[in-house]
Amino acid sequence: MARRCVIEPLLILALVGLPTTARAGRTEAGSEQKRISEQARLERIQAEIAELKQRLAGSAARAGSVLDAIEELDLTAALLGREAESLRQEARTVRAHESETQESAAALETRITDSERDLGRLLREVYKVGPTRYLRVIAASSSPAEFAAGQRAVEALGLGESRRIEAYRADRQRLDDVLAELGRQRDDLDRIESELQAKDQELRDSRRRKNAVLAGIRREQASQTRALAELVGMEKEIRALLETLAKPGPGGALSSLGFGRRRGQLAWPIQGTLAVPFGNVRHPRFNTVVPHPGIDIAAPAGQGVHTVFDGRVIFSNWFRGYGEMVVIDHGDGYLSIYGHVSERLVVVGQDVRQGELIARSGEGGAFETPGLYFEIRHDGRPEDPGPWLRGSTGRAAERPGPTPRGSHHTP
């Protein structure tokens, strides 16, 4: 019995001397999906930046008319805005990685503390057994079987001690690496925030230049006259675009979806207040009456824009006078147009359902109103959206009384 008292502690030490299992470092499926979504959004923003740069280069090369000058300023503001959003998205990604790195560091520090405690306990147990444990196993063994069991226990104990020490050293090195990575991430975040501040300042400067140009136009009667003529021409451009878009694509014409039966039943595309009604209105830029084939809905920039009915996206790009624009075909010749958005979230050919998020509101449209410019057209001709939409724009405010109607102006 005395001999077994020597071997049994060694067997116990061999069993308890294995390193603990790490639980940190596991990535949840939801977090991975969010990371993929954020990366896809960043890539889309960067693609839009490339498109805007190309358009801006073409705008600068054109002969400067009144609307061309404004278009160039709008493109510049849109480009700066997308570049700023790209930096914000990058900052969000770095912050998310920083949070994960901090969690990894905390988990490693906990594991190292546990390892140090376990190693200390192991050393105390080894000290109790003594440095001559191998000789004591030989002396305590009464048979070759007992000796073999004791020898295996000593070898397992040595292996367990070695594994613990290796794991402890690996964790220490990993913690050093994680802390170094955390420092790099914080440096990146400082750089991004500095660039973002500079980009926001550029955007404010661009808006001031635009306001100065508009003030000059308002002072000059000749500029106002040219601007009005160009606005009429712009309506011809959008009509020509819509006629092209209305032609059936490879998948054939869109089947009837019953849009024509939904008069008065459609939800507003964005929660806000009616800022500029449909019809002929006085344009604040040019101080003259101009055709206004849609409505401007005032809302904070960046708010969700939703499609008013089922349909298919037939245009998602920048268009002169409309800025970033989405056009949805609802069948039977009906189209809805969402202009001056800050971000397009759908692509051409995509089928959408009523109420689906398709864009985000912009800083300012044709009337410098943050929110959304919205049109409904039938066979290319603009219709007053008011009678099509339900009586309130949402919780933000009740829609004002009957909107002034101008004739359906067709240049």
Side-chain angles (χ1 to χ4, degrees), residues 169-349:
R169 288 175 176 169
D171 282 345
R172 292 294 312 183
Q173 181 59 50
R174 175 62 181 153
L175 179 59
D176 290 342
D177 293 342
V178 167
L179 292 176
E181 176 63 20
L182 187 60
R184 287 192 293 270
Q185 288 171 349
R186 286 171 177 167
D187 289 342
D188 285 345
L189 194 56
D190 289 342
R191 172 188 57 79
I192 292 169
E193 289 177 346
S194 177
E195 291 179 7
L196 183 56
Q197 288 178 0
K199 196 65 65 177
D200 285 340
Q201 182 60 51
E202 285 186 65
L203 185 55
R204 287 191 292 271
D205 293 342
S206 174
R207 288 172 181 156
R208 279 196 292 269
R209 289 196 299 271
K210 180 178 179 180
N211 289 335
V213 169
L214 294 176
I217 293 173
R218 282 192 289 268
R219 288 193 301 266
E220 298 177 6
Q221 184 65 41
S223 295
Q224 294 173 19
T225 303
R226 289 198 305 272
L228 179 58
E230 290 171 21
L231 284 170
V232 171
M234 193 168 63
E235 170 64 13
K236 292 180 179 179
E237 291 177 19
I238 189 70
R239 288 282 295 274
L241 172 69
L242 296 178
E243 286 175 6
T244 302
L245 296 176
K247 296 176 182 177
L254 191 66
S255 59
S256 176
L257 300 175
F259 186 92
R261 298 190 299 272
R262 297 305 180 99
R263 185 179 292 270
Q265 302 176 29
L266 303 178
W268 287 67
I270 191 172
Q271 182 175 299
T273 55
L274 181 65
V276 184
F278 176 88
N280 295 333
V281 297
R282 182 169 293 279
H283 200 297
R285 283 179 175 177
F286 314 120
N287 194 30
T288 187
V289 174
V290 297
H292 191 241
I295 59 174
D296 282 86
I297 304 171
Q303 188 166 306
V305 175
H306 304 265
T307 179
V308 295
F309 194 65
D310 300 350
R312 179 172 298 155
V313 179
I314 57 174
F315 186 87
S316 180
N317 211 323
W318 179 280
F319 189 76
R320 184 171 180 257
Y322 284 72
E324 297 284 10
M325 180 177 76
V326 174
V327 180
I328 297 178
D329 183 1
H330 302 289
D332 299 323
Y334 287 101
L335 305 175
S336 59
I337 301 174
Y338 310 77
H340 297 296
V341 300
S342 63
E343 182 177 4
R344 296 174 280 109
L345 304 177
V346 289
V347 296
V348 172

Side-chain angles (χ1 to χ4, degrees), residues 38-101:
E38 289 175 347
Q39 181 61 32
R41 181 168 184 257
L42 181 58
E43 290 174 358
R44 187 176 66 249
I45 291 172
Q46 289 171 343
E48 290 175 7
I49 288 172
E51 289 177 2
L52 287 168
K53 285 181 176 178
Q54 185 175 3
R55 288 184 177 277
L56 185 58
S59 174
R62 286 200 301 266
S65 67
V66 172
L67 292 189
D68 283 340
I70 295 173
E71 180 81 356
E72 185 175 347
L73 289 166
D74 284 342
L75 278 167
T76 300
L79 174 59
L80 291 170
R82 301 314 287 145
E83 287 175 338
E85 182 56 33
S86 176
L87 288 169
R88 290 189 186 94
Q89 184 70 25
E90 189 178 351
R92 284 191 288 268
T93 301
V94 173
R95 288 192 189 98
H97 290 167
E98 181 186 30
S99 178
E100 292 174 2
T101 304

